Amino acid sequence: MAIKDILTHINREGKQVFSLLQKSGPLTKNGLLEILKTNFTALNRIMDPLEKEKFIMEVGIGESSGGRKPLLYDLDPKCFYVLGIDISRVYTKIVIADSKMNIISKKTFEMDATFTPEKTVREIALLFQKAVDKLGLHQEQFLGVGLGTVGPLDRSSGIMLRPKYFPSEGWTGSPIKERLEQALGLPVMIDNGANTAILAEYKFGAGKGFQNIAYFNCSTGIRTGAISAGVIVRTINDAEDAFGHMVINCDGEACNCGNYGCIDCYASIYAIVRKYQAALKQGRSTGIDKDIDEIDYTDICGAAEGPEPLAQEIITNAATIFGVGLANYINLLNPGLIILSGPLISYSNLYYQIASEIASTRHYDKEANHIIFSKGGFFGEDAIALGAAIMVVESYLLL
Ligand SMILES: [Zn+2]
C-alpha cells in the first residue's frame, strides 16, 4: 500500500500518537498516557497498527520512576520522506525532510529574468532527482510535495494569481501545482510562503507552546503570516502582503498596488535600494565602491553596520516605519511571539534592532502585552521550504 493510503487509514487516536512522537518523541508509554489521558490497554491498541506499519520503533530505555526502566518509543524517521519547496521570486530552495521533519538534503538556486515557471520547475525536478539518487531513496518513499510560494494564489487549483516582483515573465496565472505534479510524479500542495514558514515555527520551532504567533519576512516586499488560537489566519486569495500594504502615511509615496503611503513603500528591500540610489544621485556621498545602479541591499546593510551615515539613516527610517506597523499589528492580534525573518533581518542587525525596539515601545497596553521577538525563528531561512513539507504531513494528520 502507498504511504499516503497507510497514513489515511490510521484512526484519529493513532494519528494523535503519531503526531506526539513526531514532535515530542522519544516518549515512554507512561509519558504518552499522561498526555492522552487513556489507559494502558487502550494505548497498546492504538500503537499496535503503528508498530505493524513500522511507523514507530523502540529507541532505548527511559528513566525509571521506581521499578523496571521503561522503553522509549519514537517515530521512525525513515518511514517516509517529503519534498518541501520555497519559490521566492529571486531564489528557489528545495529541502528533503524525513518523517521527523529533519532536513536531510537542501539545495538552492538563484532566479534571474530567464527563470520562467517552466524553467524553474525543470530545475527543481533535476535537483530533486539528483538528491534522491544521492540519498539512495526512491520516489515511492515520498508522501508528497509542499510548495510555499508568493501569493495571491488559489490553493485548491494551485494557480499563482498575480504575484509581484518576479524577475521573469510568466508567473501570473501560472498553474504551478499541475506543472510540479507532472514533473515530479507526486501530489503537490501549495500555500503562500509566509503561511508555510509560520506553520514550521508553530509546530516544530520557536512558536511551539504559543497560541498566537506572527511571522514577518522582510524581503523585496514584506510577507506576513499569523497563527491565532492555533489556526492560520487566512486572507483573501491567501495573499501574504496585506501588512506591507497597510497605509502608514495618508499623503505618502505612490505604491505599486495603486495606493499611497503603504509600509512597503518605506520598509522593503525595494524601498531601501531606491531611496539610497536616489540620495546618491542627489549628491550624497557613499563608502560603497560600485556604480549607483549596481548597489544592492546587501551593500547598504553592510555599510549601515560600518557605520556609514547615509546607509544608517535609510535603514533606520525603513526599520522605524516597519516597527510602527508592527506596533499597530500587535494592537490588533496580540501575538505572544513575533518572528522577524528574511534577508533584511539576516543582513541588517540595525534594521532588526530598531524595528523590534519601536514595536516593543510603541504598542498599546505594554503592561498587559509582553511580546517576545525572535530573530530568524528556529528554522531561519529554511522555514518556508520546511514548512511546506510540514503542511503536507499535517494535512494527513487532520483527516
Ligand atoms: Zn501598497
Side-chain angles (χ1 to χ4, degrees):
M1 214 193 298
I3 302 284
K4 66 179 176 55
D5 296 324
I6 300 172
L7 254 186
T8 307
H9 286 100
I10 293 170
N11 66 15
R12 200 171 56 82
E13 290 81 7
K15 285 176 182 170
Q16 206 179 352
V17 169
F18 179 103
S19 183
L20 278 169
L21 291 175
Q22 186 197 35
K23 296 170 182 81
S24 312
L27 290 165
T28 61
K29 283 190 178 175
N30 275 332
L32 282 165
L33 286 175
E34 249 172 60
I35 303 167
L36 296 168
K37 309 276 179 252
T38 183
N39 60 52
F40 226 78
T41 318
L43 179 63
N44 282 334
R45 206 170 45 232
I46 297 167
M47 287 175 69
D48 224 27
L50 293 171
E51 286 184 281
K52 221 173 270 167
E53 295 294 349
K54 301 196 170 21
F55 277 1
I56 57 179
M57 55 184 191
E58 295 170 6
V59 291
I61 310 284
E63 285 300 309
S64 165
S65 53
R68 223 167 63 159
K69 288 192 172 176
L71 281 169
L72 280 166
Y73 293 86
D74 207 345
L75 189 70
D76 182 348
K78 297 189 187 72
C79 61
F80 60 76
Y81 299 87
V82 190
L83 173 64
I85 308 172
D86 164 11
I87 300 179
S88 287
R89 298 175 172 128
V90 291
Y91 74 88
T92 288
K93 177 180 280 188
I94 72 166
V95 302
I96 292 176
D98 65 21
S99 53
K100 287 276 285 182
M101 294 294 114
N102 302 303
I103 294 175
I104 56 168
S105 172
K106 175 162 76 175
K107 293 274 176 295
T108 306
F109 58 89
E110 288 185 7
M111 292 156 72
D112 57 20
T114 68
F115 275 82
T116 57
E118 293 84 351
K119 183 174 173 182
T120 306
V121 167
R122 273 201 306 275
E123 190 67 20
I124 290 169
L126 198 74
L127 287 179
F128 175 59
Q129 197 51 54
K130 271 190 194 165
V132 165
D133 291 345
K134 198 171 169 196
L135 291 164
L137 300 176
H138 300 284
Q139 202 207 29
E140 310 83 70
Q141 292 170 281
F142 280 77
L143 180 63
V145 180
L147 166 66
T149 187
V150 178
L153 45 87
D154 182 329
R155 279 187 299 141
S156 56
S157 63
I159 293 175
M160 294 169 75
L161 300 174
R162 294 173 307 280
K164 294 191 196 88
Y165 306 130
F166 272 88
S168 145
E169 298 291 316
W171 290 91
T172 295
S174 169
I176 194 74
K177 171 181 152 80
E178 194 187 314
R179 283 208 171 101
L180 283 167
E181 283 177 342
Q182 278 170 1
L184 300 166
L186 288 164
V188 175
M189 282 184 73
I190 85 168
D191 202 341
N192 84 52
N195 283 350
T196 64
I198 201 166
L199 187 67
E201 295 292 351
Y202 179 71
K203 294 282 180 187
F204 290 85
K208 261 174 120 172
F210 285 89
Q211 279 298 299
N212 296 353
I213 66 172
Y215 169 90
F216 294 83
N217 188 290
C218 303
S219 182
T220 314
I222 295 171
R223 304 164 71 184
T224 310
I227 285 183
S228 184
V231 177
I232 291 182
V233 178
R234 295 209 168 269
T235 56
I236 297 169
N237 289 333
D238 286 299
E240 72 284 282
D241 59 354
F243 171 86
H245 294 283
M246 248 166 49
V247 175
I248 204 113
N249 180 357
C250 300
D251 305 315
E253 297 175 24
C255 181
N256 61 33
C257 72
N259 210 336
Y260 292 88
C262 303
I263 292 176
D264 257 19
C265 300
Y266 304 93
S268 61
I269 284 181
Y270 173 75
I272 287 170
V273 173
R274 196 166 44 83
K275 283 174 193 298
Y276 193 85
Q277 288 173 340
L280 295 189
K281 284 174 186 165
Q282 281 168 3
R284 292 285 300 264
S285 61
T286 172
I288 302 169
D289 186 20
K290 268 189 178 178
D291 286 345
I292 293 181
D293 292 328
E294 280 174 13
I295 291 174
D296 68 16
Y297 75 96
T298 60
D299 301 320
I300 304 166
C301 292
E305 304 295 311
E308 181 209 280
L310 176 61
Q312 274 209 328
E313 181 187 313
I314 283 171
I315 297 275
T316 301
N317 289 343
T320 302
I321 299 274
F322 177 53
V324 170
L326 274 181
N328 288 331
Y329 188 92
I330 292 167
N331 291 347
L332 287 173
L333 284 171
N334 285 319
L337 172 76
I338 291 185
I339 299 164
L340 300 182
S341 185
L344 264 181
I345 299 296
S346 39
Y347 281 99
S348 178
N349 205 30
L350 183 66
Y351 188 96
Y352 173 76
Q353 288 302 340
I354 289 180
S356 50
E357 212 172 284
I358 297 268
S360 304
T361 50
R362 297 288 292 270
H363 72 270
Y364 168 70
D365 202 2
K366 287 180 281 297
E367 298 302 309
N369 296 349
H370 180 66
I371 318 282
I372 295 170
F373 285 88
S374 162
K375 187 179 179 182
F378 183 76
F379 295 112
E381 301 305 306
D382 295 336
I384 296 177
L386 182 65
I390 291 168
M391 161 176 76
V392 173
V393 184
E394 290 296 313
S395 74
Y396 284 94
L397 299 181
L398 288 172
L399 288 174

